[in-house]
Amino acid sequence: MADAADRLILAGLLAGAAFLVLFWPQKDGRRDWRGALRHPALWVLISLAVSFGATALLAGHGIVALGVLPFLGALWPDRGGAKPQPPPAPRAVPPPKAMTRAEALAVLGLTPSTTREEVLEAYRHMMWFANPDHGGSQWLADRLNEARDVLLKR
């Protein structure tokens, strides 16, 4: 079992790690400590450092210290901090535009000089793999149907 000095050393190491998380430079080289305050690892390190420090200072009464820690937040009331923002309003999805002939040819992998039979053959071949019953997706099946309809002018 570790004694109080070992717990204090461990608390110091955890506090140092929290300090590093707080002031570690971002990918662009800036040090954004306000952004680091939102990092969950920082709060885990701080809570562990406080826990080990409290158990070291209250040697023999560590369980009491750990039981009291969750209630310490009630001692500091909220001083008008940032209020949670309401979720953004859902954006309206624009209706899909009609597929052009060039897009339909690209979907089926055909050239502009294809015949009706080639369109149907390419459609049947690709629909075999795109069919949702065979592990394909409904979206791709819809795109293939639309491409066939555009090229066959249905």
Side-chain angles (χ1 to χ4, degrees), residues 5-154:
D6 291 341
R7 287 189 207 125
L8 278 178
I9 290 171
L10 187 56
L13 289 174
L14 289 168
F19 184 79
L20 284 176
V21 169
L22 186 60
F23 291 107
W24 195 261
Q26 303 294 317
K27 290 180 182 174
D28 58 2
R30 293 182 306 116
R31 285 188 166 82
D32 181 22
W33 64 270
R34 287 189 177 124
L37 287 175
R38 292 186 296 270
H39 201 289
L42 174 73
W43 296 105
V44 169
L45 289 170
I46 289 173
S47 65
L48 285 173
V50 169
S51 297
F52 279 105
T55 57
L57 294 176
L58 297 171
H61 303 293
I63 293 295
V64 174
L66 289 177
V68 170
L69 282 176
F71 302 104
L72 289 179
L75 298 177
W76 293 280
D78 185 22
R79 304 238 185 253
K83 304 268 189 261
Q85 297 294 325
R91 295 185 302 185
V93 177
K97 60 180 183 172
M99 185 182 288
T100 64
R101 181 172 171 77
E103 290 173 338
L105 289 170
V107 166
L108 291 174
L110 300 173
T111 61
S113 62
T114 58
T115 64
R116 176 182 176 86
E117 290 77 26
E118 290 173 332
V119 170
L120 290 173
E121 182 182 340
Y123 167 77
R124 287 186 193 111
H125 177 75
M126 293 184 77
M127 186 54 97
W128 173 258
F129 296 104
N131 190 334
D133 294 338
H134 296 153
S137 70
Q138 185 63 44
W139 177 83
L140 186 55
D142 292 342
R143 295 284 292 177
L144 290 172
N145 286 331
E146 186 178 2
R148 179 202 56 197
D149 293 344
V150 166
L151 293 176
L152 298 179
K153 305 225 187 312
R154 289 188 178 180

